[in-house]
Amino acid sequence: MIDKQSPIPIYFQLVEKIQKEIEQGILKPGDVLPSEREYADTYDISRMTVRQAITKLVNDGYVHRKKGTGTFVNESKIDQPLQGLTSFTEDMRERGFVPSNRMLSFQVREASDYIAGKLNIALGAQVYEIERIRLADDQPMALETTWVPCDVITGLTEEVIYDSLYNYIESKLGLAIGSASQVIESSIVNEREMNLLSLPKGAPVLLIERITFLADGRPFEFVKSRYRADRYRFRIQMSRS
Ligand code: 16G
């Protein structure tokens, strides 16, 4: 099962083996991995090699170590395609999760220089500022702050936002959503995000900024999201043409 003659490093063969067991559901989220000694004995390899393999699995987000207890399998990551311009509600439903929101704040305010610049509106123009925790099956996935110009998306209410912003825009206002420009960066949680997203100190998050435009070209939202890096990965199809 571990081929010591193979040019593929032994630790990497073990990584692939454990990864496969996680992907096939032989090892499930929350399961404890066999100990270093057990792996070493089973495959007749050194504990150092086992440790190297486990460290790679920790770094890749498949498992986490708990001091004094062992190594546990993580919840699987949501594989999010980057091509489609979808909403959180749609993304979660498509995966069979029940989406929900926890409203942290909903207010109308005057656009700061920064927000006005992002939305290409006048300084001081009215914007909705919305902060929500986005949940899937009651688990926090992301913390999202959204700024929406009041005169572009009219009649927003807290009730609307508890449901879906994109659904309101398309189904209720009959406006077409056209395109978006998005940037993804890595970061770690601060104290507040740690509590809101139920993450440990120093946990990685993906900072996503999106400006989205209606089909007629008007920007209708500027969004700053913090997605849990232990639950998300992004996928894109590429071709060399
Ligand atoms: C996603 C979008 C966000 C949009 C929201 C609408 C990313 C990074 N962001 O969270 O820009 O405002 O969906 O969701 O994907 P809703 O229609 O469920 O309110």
Side-chain angles (χ1 to χ4, degrees), residues 87-89 132 134 144 164-166 210 221 223 227:
S87 75
F88 181 84
T89 303
R132 301 181 274 180
R134 321 255 13 210
E144 198 157 76
S164 159
L165 175 64
Y166 282 15
R210 185 190 277 190
E221 67 167 3
V223 186
Y227 275 76

Side-chain angles (χ1 to χ4, degrees), residues 5 66 92-93 98 138 157 163 207 212 224 238 240:
Q5 310 310 322
K66 255 193 209 160
M92 293 308 113
R93 287 212 176 114
V98 177
D138 293 328
T157 60
D163 182 38
L207 292 184
T212 320
K224 278 187 168 199
M238 295 175 189
R240 192 168 161 92

Side-chain angles (χ1 to χ4, degrees), residues 119-165:
L119 288 168
N120 199 19
I121 54 175
L123 174 67
Q126 295 217 305
V127 288
Y128 294 101
E129 185 183 272
I130 303 144
E131 194 177 34
R132 301 181 274 180
I133 299 177
R134 321 255 13 210
L135 306 102
D137 285 353
D138 293 328
Q139 256 208 14
M141 291 290 171
L143 173 63
E144 198 157 76
T145 316
T146 312
W147 290 270
V148 176
C150 296
D151 62 346
V152 178
I153 306 301
T154 50
L156 265 194
T157 60
E158 265 193 69
E159 287 69 55
V160 164
I161 289 299
Y162 263 113
D163 182 38
S164 159
L165 175 64

Side-chain angles (χ1 to χ4, degrees), residues 112 125 175 191-192 229:
S112 65
L175 296 170
E191 188 102 358
R192 179 167 181 262

Side-chain angles (χ1 to χ4, degrees), residues 58-230:
V58 169
N59 293 339
D60 291 351
Y62 284 92
V63 300
H64 63 277
R65 292 189 172 104
K66 255 193 209 160
K67 271 215 177 84
T69 0
T71 306
F72 295 84
V73 179
N74 291 341
E75 296 279 345
S76 59
K77 288 193 183 186
I78 288 170
D79 203 272
Q80 177 72 35
L82 281 172
Q83 279 98 341
L85 176 42
T86 51
S87 75
F88 181 84
T89 303
E90 291 164 343
D91 290 340
M92 293 308 113
R93 287 212 176 114
E94 200 191 301
R95 287 173 178 77
F97 294 117
V98 177
S100 60
N101 293 299
R102 229 186 90 205
M103 190 72 65
L104 298 176
S105 87
F106 180 95
Q107 51 183 317
V108 174
R109 53 189 310 170
E110 292 180 355
S112 65
D113 217 3
Y114 174 67
I115 299 298
K118 295 286 179 188
L119 288 168
N120 199 19
I121 54 175
L123 174 67
Q126 295 217 305
V127 288
Y128 294 101
E129 185 183 272
I130 303 144
E131 194 177 34
R132 301 181 274 180
I133 299 177
R134 321 255 13 210
L135 306 102
D137 285 353
D138 293 328
Q139 256 208 14
M141 291 290 171
L143 173 63
E144 198 157 76
T145 316
T146 312
W147 290 270
V148 176
C150 296
D151 62 346
V152 178
I153 306 301
T154 50
L156 265 194
T157 60
E158 265 193 69
E159 287 69 55
V160 164
I161 289 299
Y162 263 113
D163 182 38
S164 159
L165 175 64
Y166 282 15
N167 183 46
Y168 175 74
I169 293 172
E170 293 176 326
S171 306
K172 295 273 160 30
L173 297 182
L175 296 170
I177 295 175
S179 60
S181 160
Q182 185 165 297
V183 178
I184 306 177
E185 279 180 85
S186 66
S187 182
I188 53 168
V189 279
N190 63 28
E191 188 102 358
R192 179 167 181 262
E193 293 157 3
M194 197 174 106
N195 295 328
L196 292 172
L197 292 172
S198 317
L199 288 172
K201 196 172 174 179
V205 279
L206 297 158
L207 292 184
I208 307 180
E209 277 193 21
R210 185 190 277 190
I211 300 174
T212 320
F213 305 86
L214 294 174
D216 64 14
R218 284 179 296 165
F220 75 86
E221 67 167 3
F222 170 54
V223 186
K224 278 187 168 199
S225 314
R226 280 148 182 76
Y227 275 76
R228 288 176 56 163
D230 61 334

